[in-house]
Amino acid sequence: MMDGATHTAIQQRLLADASPFALDSMTLNGHRLAIYRHAPETLLQVLEEARGHGDAPFIKYLDRLWTFADFTRGVDSLAAWLLAQGVEAGDRVAIAMRNRPEWAVAFMAAVRVGALPAPLNSFGQGDELRQALAYLEPAVLCCDRERLDRLAGQTGVPGCRLVVAGNDEGLPLGEATRFESALSAWPEPRLPEVRVDPDSPALILFTSGATSRPKGVVSSHRAVGQALFNIDFIGALSGMTSPKAVKRIEAQRRPSVTLTAVPLFHVSGLHAQLLTAMRHGRQLIFMHRWSAVDALALMRSEGVTQFNGAPSMVRQLVVAAEERDDDILEGLWGMGFGGSGVPDSLLDKVLSRFPEQMIGIGFGMTETNGAVSAVSGELFRGRPRSSGPLSPLFDVQILAPDGEALPAGEVGEVCVRGVTLMQGYWREPEATAGALEQGWLRTGDLGYLDAEGFLFIVDRLKDVIVRSGENIAPAEIESCLTAHPAVAEAAVFGIPDEETGEAVAALVALREGQWVEESELQAHVRHHLAGYKVPSAIRIRHDALLRNPAGKLLKKHLREDFLQDTAQLQ
């Protein structure tokens, strides 16, 4: 185990004035914040970095390989098409499709013309997608055929143009533009120069907090550029503190290839994989649909060196490899957990089975543009229950319920401040003011800092369920359930699940004289919301749900009763 003094000394060397990771500071919104001196200031710079990789392989999807040159040509062509449609700086370009090269092209084409790319949750059903589009009022929606069908071919936003990727069989002409047609219309475009202020909005990402409706998180170009450079810092710190693992990687002389199975509409997919690969010339393998067995096959055929995914995905991958006596995972350089807490049993298994790999984890949010803290390699093996040392970009306070700052070792709410924080929620000033207090973001997570500055997350304050890495707002499912004519009230909460980390469970009280089967309620939710939000189990009752004198559901007691009833039935 590396001692704290050694870790601190290495970090200080990395942050020295002559280092690529040298720090400066700037005043932003009245607060003095640390910044990396050499970080990209805008996403336009990231696009230019991608151009420098030329004909190197970039994205492999199904049977087609896109080089960086293919990708940047596609970006320029779609950017020219967007300009021809009258898209202007600040307009929103919504993206709703599975992970595929056109997703990346649409994102950077929006950036290229000064518009705001706004990726939607591709798991969403028609109602969810329409709600997000009405909220954004985009000038253009870039989607695939599956999302178009969920929308019944209509965005519901007056004047919003449609661009559709993939299968276009039966696509109504005049109502939508085929992606390939948009690209071929401008094969060698001459684009005007675009200048953007580093502190102007760069993108909108949706987050599912404790509210019934996802909010759009607006982040600046500077915030995203600093977050991307912070990923480089984490890699450098992990490498310098894990010399044996680095020596093993160098000896293999293989190109970096990442299997991308996490959605690009999350920072774990967008920042840590897509945008980082664009900057450093790394190859990505996009999966059409997650399957542990298919993932193993792709790892072997494509020479994959890195895999990052939700704990449930890592678990499925390890189990599938054991069942098939497949040693492909042993050849990986690294594996990362993200999206939710890692069960101790899975953590211990991965660390023991892969003693030479760079195993890692981090803590961050959409509102922070990723990692507040992160750790990999020997630092992680020394503190496997931590989320790593704090990023140099962040100030962190652990607050007691009365707002007082707590010393090292004491548990409280984790509050963070730094240059990568969001500018706010799209068109929601009250929600923004409630989340950002004097520049500090209250994360809703409970944790503590140890004496050496490592962050440990132990629980949540927010009423949020994390299922296979996806944040789920119980209020959204409760609202959906109570829309059923037989349901008077509903309480939704998370319960432990070995496969997904947490499962969605619900207690439902019916209206007098009504009856409905559990399967009908599940089908009702599935019709309106994404599949991962459907409760795995629903208990139906006729008496009112327990509330406090103020009328608030007593979720803790209801959850305990649910778990007790479940245990008695087993």
Side-chain angles (χ1 to χ4, degrees), residues 188-477:
E188 296 183 8
R190 294 183 179 180
L191 297 171
E193 184 179 359
V194 173
R195 295 183 182 274
V196 298
D197 187 298
D199 295 311
S200 64
L203 53 76
I204 301 174
L205 293 178
F206 282 86
T207 182
S208 292
T211 60
S212 61
R213 177 179 54 78
K215 297 185 288 292
V217 174
V218 182
S219 292
S220 71
H221 283 269
R222 189 188 305 278
V224 178
Q226 290 286 326
L228 295 179
F229 209 73
N230 193 54
I231 293 170
D232 294 351
F233 173 81
I234 293 165
L237 178 63
S238 299
M240 290 183 68
T241 53
S242 307
K244 290 183 179 179
V246 171
K247 187 175 181 180
R248 172 179 176 264
I249 291 170
E250 291 175 342
Q252 292 184 19
R253 298 181 179 276
R254 298 162 59 193
S256 174
V257 180
T258 298
L259 181 65
T260 298
V262 294
L264 294 175
F265 58 78
H266 286 323
V267 292
S268 56
L270 177 59
H271 293 39
Q273 298 194 33
L274 178 61
L275 296 177
T276 295
M278 286 176 59
R279 296 189 61 229
H280 297 295
R282 297 170 185 162
Q283 185 178 358
L284 303 175
I285 309 298
F286 283 180
M287 293 195 70
H288 181 72
R289 182 178 290 105
W290 169 249
S291 157
V293 174
D294 291 345
L296 291 174
L298 281 171
M299 286 179 175
R300 188 172 297 282
S301 64
E302 303 298 336
V304 169
T305 60
Q306 180 71 33
F307 177 79
N308 297 333
S312 60
M313 300 169 82
V314 174
R315 179 183 179 278
Q316 292 166 24
L317 203 58
V318 172
V319 169
E322 288 177 340
E323 290 175 346
R324 287 155 182 78
D325 196 24
D326 192 332
D327 64 355
I328 190 64
L329 297 182
E330 278 75 0
L332 294 180
W333 294 351
M335 188 180 298
F337 297 103
S340 60
V342 185
D344 287 349
S345 58
L346 176 60
L347 184 57
D348 293 339
K349 185 171 190 174
V350 169
L351 288 175
S352 62
R353 176 165 175 178
F354 307 109
E356 298 181 318
Q357 277 89 344
M358 296 283 287
I359 309 300
I361 199 169
F363 168 73
M365 308 167 64
T366 307
E367 288 90 339
T368 66
N369 277 286
V372 174
S373 64
V375 64
S376 183
E378 290 306 308
L379 284 178
F380 182 52
R381 292 180 186 275
R383 295 172 178 81
R385 269 67 187 175
S386 89
S387 295
L390 297 179
S391 157
L393 297 179
F394 282 95
D395 300 319
V396 174
Q397 288 185 334
I398 308 298
L399 298 186
D402 62 4
E404 290 295 314
L406 296 171
E410 293 196 27
V411 174
E413 184 178 7
V414 179
C415 300
V416 301
R417 182 173 67 187
V419 69
T420 73
L421 286 191
M422 68 173 181
Q423 294 180 312
Y425 296 115
W426 175 251
R427 294 176 173 172
E428 297 194 55
E430 291 185 6
T432 300
L436 297 173
E437 300 177 11
Q438 297 182 329
W440 291 90
L441 174 71
R442 303 194 71 138
T443 67
D445 289 282
L446 292 173
Y448 67 92
L449 290 168
D450 70 9
E452 294 171 355
F454 280 68
L455 179 64
F456 292 75
I457 302 298
V458 299
D459 204 349
R460 289 191 298 274
L461 277 173
K462 290 181 179 178
D463 189 14
V464 175
I465 302 167
V466 184
R467 181 180 188 180
S468 295
E470 296 289 342
N471 283 5
I472 300 171
E476 181 180 22
I477 304 172

Side-chain angles (χ1 to χ4, degrees), residues 6-233:
T6 303
H7 154 251
T8 302
I10 290 175
Q11 179 161 306
Q12 289 175 345
R13 284 169 53 195
L14 281 171
L15 299 175
D17 195 61
S19 165
F21 299 104
L23 293 174
D24 284 333
S25 64
M26 67 173 295
T27 299
L28 189 64
N29 298 324
H31 304 286
R32 201 69 184 166
L33 304 175
I35 61 171
Y36 290 115
R37 182 181 304 164
H38 303 294
E41 291 192 323
T42 71
L43 282 173
L44 288 172
Q45 289 179 243
V46 174
L47 177 59
E48 291 310 304
E49 288 177 299
R51 293 189 197 279
H53 305 306
D55 290 324
F58 181 29
I59 298 173
K60 178 77 177 290
Y61 176 64
L62 300 177
D63 295 327
R64 182 177 177 185
L65 173 65
W66 289 57
T67 66
F68 280 91
D70 294 331
F71 167 71
T72 54
R73 278 195 297 270
V75 168
D76 291 343
S77 295
L78 186 61
W81 184 88
L82 292 173
L83 290 173
Q85 308 310 306
V87 174
E88 300 177 346
D91 285 346
R92 277 74 60 207
V93 175
I95 305 169
M97 61 180 89
R98 66 171 69 250
N99 287 5
R100 54 188 302 147
E102 293 91 341
W103 194 109
V105 169
F107 184 92
M108 292 309 295
V111 170
R112 179 62 184 82
V113 301
L116 291 181
L120 309 187
N121 185 333
S122 61
F123 297 130
Q125 294 300 316
D127 290 347
E128 295 166 292
L129 294 173
R130 277 186 286 272
Q131 185 180 60
L133 291 170
Y135 174 69
L136 290 170
E137 295 183 314
V140 175
L141 169 63
C142 298
C143 66
D144 56 17
R145 185 58 190 267
E146 186 176 353
R147 260 43 59 171
L148 183 67
D149 288 343
R150 292 180 192 178
L151 288 165
Q154 300 293 326
T155 66
V157 178
C160 179
R161 300 157 191 82
L162 271 166
V163 186
V164 184
N167 175 24
D168 59 10
E169 182 179 348
L171 189 66
L173 293 174
E175 297 181 14
T177 300
R178 296 176 176 86
F179 207 95
E180 289 299 326
S181 298
L183 299 188
S184 61
W186 302 92
E188 296 183 8
R190 294 183 179 180
L191 297 171
E193 184 179 359
V194 173
R195 295 183 182 274
V196 298
D197 187 298
D199 295 311
S200 64
L203 53 76
I204 301 174
L205 293 178
F206 282 86
T207 182
S208 292
T211 60
S212 61
R213 177 179 54 78
K215 297 185 288 292
V217 174
V218 182
S219 292
S220 71
H221 283 269
R222 189 188 305 278
V224 178
Q226 290 286 326
L228 295 179
F229 209 73
N230 193 54
I231 293 170
D232 294 351
F233 173 81

